[in-house]
Amino acid sequence: MWVTRWARHCSTVAGADALRAVRTVPSDVRAGFIAQFAKELKRRRQEVELANQKDCEALAGEAEGTENAAMMLKAERMYLDVGKWDKLMNDLLEIEIGRCLVGSLQGEWETENKVASRRTRAPFGRVLLVHGPDVDVTARAIAMLVKTGNAASIKASSSTPNTTAAIAACAATALESVGLPESVVQVVTPLPGVDPHCHLEAVLAAGGHDLIIAAGGAGLQELMRKMAQAPVMHVGPMVVTMYIHADAEPVQVQRCVQNAVSCSKSPTSVDHVVVHVDYKKKLELLEMLHEEGVVVHADKAVRKIMPNAMELKKADWGKVWMGQRVGVRQVQAFEQAVMQINAHGSRHLDVVMTRREDLGHEFQEAVDSAMALVNTSPRLADAEGLGMGSGLGIAAGSFHRGPIALQDLLTTQYGVVSVGRTRPEGNSKFNPSVTFGKAPSLA
């Protein structure tokens, strides 16, 4: 019973009126909300930064006396520094002035019996975002969801209650200024003393969401499998592996590996380098990693070249490294590299370095990854890097795979028009041909 009462208290689901309002208002009203939202964030910047400082100090108090790498990374992610703030403002502007995709045409066709069909993009409805301590993601997600005509329910990290509340206050003011109901944006926060995990269970038990975007580890994904009542886009920790084939171009290898290990805070930084035994520039690659200050964990074969490297155990093959660390393993064949990626990867993002175009295609077909890159730094592999605009991470689930950009926050709607056409009774072979345009099944 307490779950039902608690879910009702949190008011996690936007009302039907709010859904209709955000879906049907002109696109310039939704764009106007984003402009006002950015304006409010700028006006209340000091308030937001003080709230963020309070959250960071609370986390520092929890971590006092420890050197927990995960806690340190969490602190870096939740701190809203000048760089993150400026990027957020630029992203909000791009989302505001970007093309409105709601109602955009994806295809139209007509059959020989004069039944005309159109397929357009449409909002999902109520979208729940469950994410970690990156407070800039909260603001970016609110803008992206409203831009695409969705109502937003945001379940942010329990470590950022003050920052999340300050951002939500800015969103509420912006909604009021453009005449949209405040319930279009709901920030889901637990009562004091309530366990965050139990709170999330209550939110999921309440249901009423049309899409869930869940950014978190194995525990969160398991909870979603058990309790989610809507399709889920899973954005989990990424194990990024780069396979260097024997014929790889050394200059490209050095450049891409250096870029991929240069920012350990990026979720797309490389975790594992798998190198073919016949690649001739292994020593130069290892020396470069050492010069970049990267701690190398290597298997027995690689430690013959780099004796001071730390041991890479088989249990480490699927590890997401904290800080500037990378696992390096040598393989005898392309197939071994593919087997490691499929057995120990996270199905998000993996890379092959090779001069052979056919091997690149073979890699893309063989690995079970949402994104398979050829001769490209994984740091480019997000919505922004691929020219898709702002994004909410990279999903690796069955419902959606790849970057989550604006177009991925929309589903489809079909409009069908005829002059009283009906389907003949008892005609199992009824299949009128398309006389205009292309139906999706024929594309």
Side-chain angles (χ1 to χ4, degrees):
M1 282 295 293
W2 79 269
V3 169
T4 304
R5 292 197 301 270
W6 174 241
R8 190 181 300 120
H9 172 81
C10 290
S11 301
T12 60
V13 179
D17 290 343
L19 287 174
R20 278 194 295 271
V22 72
R23 181 188 182 111
T24 59
V25 294
S27 59
D28 59 348
V29 174
R30 292 192 291 267
F33 159 75
I34 299 169
Q36 289 298 318
F37 182 36
K39 183 178 179 181
E40 278 300 305
L41 285 169
K42 291 176 182 176
R43 187 175 72 84
R44 302 188 192 182
R45 179 170 179 173
Q46 186 176 10
E47 177 186 333
V48 174
E49 289 179 337
L50 286 173
N52 185 241
Q53 182 181 345
K54 187 175 180 180
D55 289 335
C56 290
E57 288 173 352
L59 182 67
E62 293 177 26
E64 189 174 358
T66 69
E67 293 186 6
N68 188 308
M71 191 73 80
M72 292 171 64
L73 182 60
K74 184 178 183 179
E76 290 178 352
R77 289 173 57 189
M78 68 187 285
Y79 177 51
L80 191 59
D81 59 24
V82 174
K84 288 181 184 178
W85 182 272
D86 291 344
K87 186 177 187 313
L88 174 61
M89 292 299 107
N90 289 334
D91 287 349
L92 293 182
L93 178 60
E94 287 184 9
I95 296 168
E96 174 202 341
I97 66 178
R99 177 189 171 204
C100 175
L101 298 174
V102 179
S104 60
L105 184 67
Q106 291 186 299
E108 58 182 339
W109 60 98
E110 185 176 291
T111 59
E112 60 184 348
N113 60 339
K114 303 300 181 184
V115 176
S117 302
R118 288 167 55 90
R119 184 172 72 173
T120 56
R121 288 189 172 102
F124 275 97
R126 307 173 183 91
V127 179
L128 170 65
L129 172 65
V130 182
H131 75 92
D134 311 83
V135 292
D136 53 321
V137 171
T138 299
R140 193 175 292 108
I142 288 171
M144 291 177 66
L145 289 169
V146 173
K147 176 75 172 185
T148 49
N150 293 293
S153 293
I154 309 293
K155 170 67 177 74
S157 170
S158 58
S159 299
T160 59
N162 298 293
T163 317
T164 302
I167 292 172
C170 294
T173 302
L175 287 167
E176 183 181 7
S177 70
V178 297
L180 284 172
E182 185 177 340
S183 56
V184 166
V185 175
Q186 299 261 329
V187 174
V188 185
T189 54
L191 289 172
V194 175
D195 179 74
H197 185 82
C198 294
H199 170 236
L200 180 55
E201 286 185 347
V203 171
L204 295 174
H209 300 103
D210 300 293
L211 174 68
I212 301 173
I213 303 173
L220 177 63
Q221 293 185 30
E222 181 62 26
L223 180 63
M224 290 297 163
R225 276 191 288 269
K226 290 179 179 178
M227 300 194 65
Q229 301 179 42
V232 180
M233 294 184 182
H234 288 292
V235 184
M238 287 187 283
V239 181
V240 181
T241 300
M242 179 182 290
Y243 168 57
I244 303 171
H245 194 57
D247 69 341
E249 166 55 49
V251 174
Q252 291 184 14
V253 169
Q254 296 283 108
R255 185 163 59 238
C256 289
V257 173
Q258 185 176 32
N259 181 250
V261 300
S262 62
C263 183
S264 59
K265 291 180 286 185
S266 170
T268 54
S269 58
V270 74
D271 295 291
H272 297 273
V273 174
V274 179
V275 59
H276 194 280
V277 63
D278 294 330
Y279 179 65
K280 304 298 184 184
K281 297 290 184 178
K282 288 192 284 289
L283 179 59
E284 289 84 348
L285 174 64
L286 294 168
E287 288 175 344
M288 182 273 291
L289 290 171
H290 179 71
E291 290 171 3
E292 291 290 322
V294 177
V295 178
V296 175
H297 295 252
D299 67 2
K300 187 176 180 180
V302 175
R303 277 188 287 123
K304 289 180 181 179
I305 306 170
M306 190 179 191
N308 61 339
M310 298 185 70
E311 181 183 3
L312 179 71
K313 301 175 183 178
K314 189 173 182 179
D316 296 330
W317 288 1
K319 189 170 185 176
V320 178
W321 297 104
M322 296 292 178
Q324 282 197 296
R325 294 175 180 267
V326 67
V328 183
R329 183 190 173 205
Q330 181 175 287
V331 293
Q332 301 291 323
F334 168 81
E335 291 75 15
Q336 278 183 275
V338 170
M339 285 177 62
Q340 173 168 332
I341 289 170
N342 288 339
H344 302 282
S346 60
R347 301 175 65 216
H348 284 89
L349 165 64
D350 297 289
V351 186
V352 63
M353 303 297 297
T354 179
R355 300 185 194 193
R356 287 173 47 191
E357 185 175 345
D358 63 322
L359 192 74
H361 289 312
E362 187 177 349
F363 179 84
Q364 291 176 323
E365 292 176 357
V367 295
D368 184 20
S369 306
M371 304 181 72
L373 282 60
V374 180
N375 299 329
T376 306
S377 168
R379 293 279 305 285
L380 276 175
D382 57 13
E384 187 178 49
L386 299 182
M388 301 165 68
S390 295
L392 296 176
I394 300 173
S398 301
F399 177 69
H400 175 76
R401 305 188 80 190
I404 303 174
L406 281 170
Q407 59 263 39
D408 304 305
L409 301 177
L410 294 164
T411 183
T412 53
Q413 183 176 34
Y414 286 80
V416 181
V417 178
S418 76
V419 286
R421 299 297 182 190
T422 61
R423 188 185 188 98
E425 295 293 334
N427 189 348
S428 60
K429 295 183 179 180
F430 176 69
N431 187 19
S433 60
V434 174
T435 57
F436 165 76
K438 282 189 176 182
S441 60
L442 304 179

